[in-house]
């Protein structure tokens, strides 16, 4: 059994890797491009996870409704979490500039992926403990956070996320 948040950490890092790689190599994307990459990575990951769960756990045993709910929740939640990480990275892209040693990545990853990892781990843990209502609240909060952050960037607001130094 995985430790609290281990799977969430790994999944969020995998989804953010293309954006992090891009920022280190060329950094020509604006915040909208970074969010688009984040959403696309989350959607792809969510589809993959939905297929995995459907084949591994349901595999024709459950009704079609379960498949629909699984796919919608996997795709939308992973998109929200990776989109949120992309927004944090867009606002704090300065953190990945000049990172040379492996330990130099600790702060950038904590700042940019931390909120998504926390929400993802909390959601997964609540579901595993059969607290579906609380897990649904975390899912709703994940969407609200993404939308608030996105709207803040769209309007040019500097709230919720510390600006680049």
């Amino acid at each position: 059994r995985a430790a609290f948040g281990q799977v969430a950490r790994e999944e969020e890092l995998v989804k953010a890797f293309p954006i992090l790689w891009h920022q280190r190599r060329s950094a020509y994307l604006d915040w909208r491009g970074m969010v688009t990459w984040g959403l696309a990575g989350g959607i792809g990951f969510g589809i993959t996870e939905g297929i995995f769960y459907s084949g591994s756990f349901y595999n024709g045993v459950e009704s079609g409704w379960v498949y629909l709910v699984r796919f919608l929740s996997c795709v939308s939640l992973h998109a929200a979490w990776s989109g949120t990480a992309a927004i944090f990275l867009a606002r704090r892209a300065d953190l990945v500039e000049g990172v040379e040693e492996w330990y130099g990545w600790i702060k950038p990853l904590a700042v940019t992926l931390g909120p998504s990892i926390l929400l993802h781990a909390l959601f997964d843990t609540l579901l595993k403990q059969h607290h579906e209502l609380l897990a649904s609240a975390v899912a709703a909060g994940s969407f609200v956070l993404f939308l608030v952050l996105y709207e803040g960037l769209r309007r040019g607001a500097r709230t919720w996320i510390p600006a680049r130094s």
Side-chain angles (χ1 to χ4, degrees), residues 1 5 50 59 72 79 89-90 92 97 121 123 136 139 155 158-159:
R1 202 171 132 151
N59 205 11
L72 289 177
L89 183 57
R92 294 305 313 265
E97 295 169 5
F123 177 80
S136 296
R155 290 179 182 245
R158 298 203 179 271
T159 57

Side-chain angles (χ1 to χ4, degrees), residues 7-139:
V7 172
R9 278 192 315 267
E10 293 164 359
E11 289 182 7
E12 295 308 317
L13 183 59
V14 166
K15 291 185 294 184
F17 185 77
I19 299 169
L20 291 165
W21 181 268
H22 169 74
Q23 281 303 109
R24 291 284 295 155
R25 294 291 186 206
S26 55
Y28 66 85
L29 289 176
D30 65 358
W31 71 267
R32 285 181 178 92
M34 292 176 74
V35 171
T36 300
W37 277 31
L39 291 172
I43 289 168
F45 200 94
I47 290 170
T48 303
E49 189 171 275
I51 291 169
F52 170 78
Y53 277 111
S54 296
S56 298
F57 298 109
Y58 312 135
N59 205 11
V61 176
E62 298 290 336
S63 68
W65 181 248
V66 172
Y67 293 96
L68 179 65
V69 169
R70 170 56 75 179
F71 269 89
L72 289 177
S73 65
C74 279
V75 172
S76 59
L77 279 170
H78 279 289
W81 292 325
S82 59
T84 296
I87 290 171
F88 277 99
L89 183 57
R91 291 287 290 153
R92 294 305 313 265
D94 61 306
L95 292 174
V96 300
E97 295 169 5
V99 174
E100 298 294 329
E101 302 294 332
W102 69 268
Y103 53 83
W105 284 98
I106 295 172
K107 181 180 178 183
L109 294 178
V111 169
T112 59
L113 302 182
S116 296
I117 291 170
L118 178 64
L119 289 167
H120 190 165
L122 186 58
F123 177 80
D124 286 351
T125 301
L126 289 169
L127 276 184
K128 287 177 185 170
Q129 298 300 317
H130 304 289
H131 298 294
E132 289 82 6
L133 188 58
L134 290 173
S136 296
V138 170

